[in-house]
Structure formats: structure tokens, C-alpha cells
Amino acid sequence: KLGKMSFTRLDGSKYTTVLDQKGISYKSVNNHVGFCAACKTLTDALNVWAPSGDYSEWLGSEYTRIGIGYDETTGYWSILTLN
């Protein structure tokens, strides 16, 4: 059974708090969470998300940095883009 996707951390705080805790400065940040158990690489995940329409929005040119996370046990991917 799949869990619920959320833009909050397990402790209930906003996803941007991880950046604050690590001392990472940013002007804006975008978060994309998706499920793709068959995706074993970032390229696989991006190929699945590309047709979704919002792909270009969260990977737009105004973003200059990216953080990527993957949970092998659930198949969930998380991508943070920021500037």
C-alpha cells in the first residue's frame, strides 16, 4: 500500500525547513514529489514526469540549483529546485 504524498516533512514542518537547517540560502524554491517504483534512475523519473505539463515549470530557467531524493522502499522521488 502506498503512503500519502505530502509537501511537509515527517515532523509536520514545511519542506523548506531542511534548507534553513542546513544553512542553504535561497530566494525561491519549488518542490516536486512523485511516485515511480519502476524508475531506478533520475533519467527514468524525468522521462515519466516530462509529459505532465508542469515539468518545465518546476525545472525552469530561474532555478540554478537542484536537490534530488529517492526512497527505494516506497518508490517516491523528491526534487527541490531553488535559486
Side-chain angles (χ1 to χ4, degrees), residues 30-32 42 45-46 49-50 52-63 66 79-82:
N30 194 352
N31 186 24
H32 183 79
L42 177 59
L46 293 176
W49 290 331
S52 71
D54 64 344
Y55 174 80
S56 60
E57 178 184 318
W58 55 264
L59 203 56
S61 61
E62 73 270 19
Y63 298 108
I66 188 168
I79 297 176
L80 289 176
T81 51
L82 55 144

Side-chain angles (χ1 to χ4, degrees), residues 1-2 10 13 25 34-35 40-41 45 52 54 60 74 77 81 83:
K1 180 179 174 186
L2 296 177
L10 292 175
S13 62
S25 62
F35 172 75
K40 299 302 179 196
T41 67
S52 71
D54 64 344
T74 63
W77 288 81
T81 51
N83 66 9

Side-chain angles (χ1 to χ4, degrees), residues 2-16 31-35 74 76-80:
L2 296 177
K4 177 182 162 188
M5 285 192 286
S6 176
F7 291 101
T8 57
R9 298 175 69 191
L10 292 175
D11 66 2
S13 62
K14 189 174 177 182
Y15 68 89
T16 55
N31 186 24
H32 183 79
V33 176
F35 172 75
T74 63
Y76 283 102
W77 288 81
S78 178
I79 297 176
L80 289 176

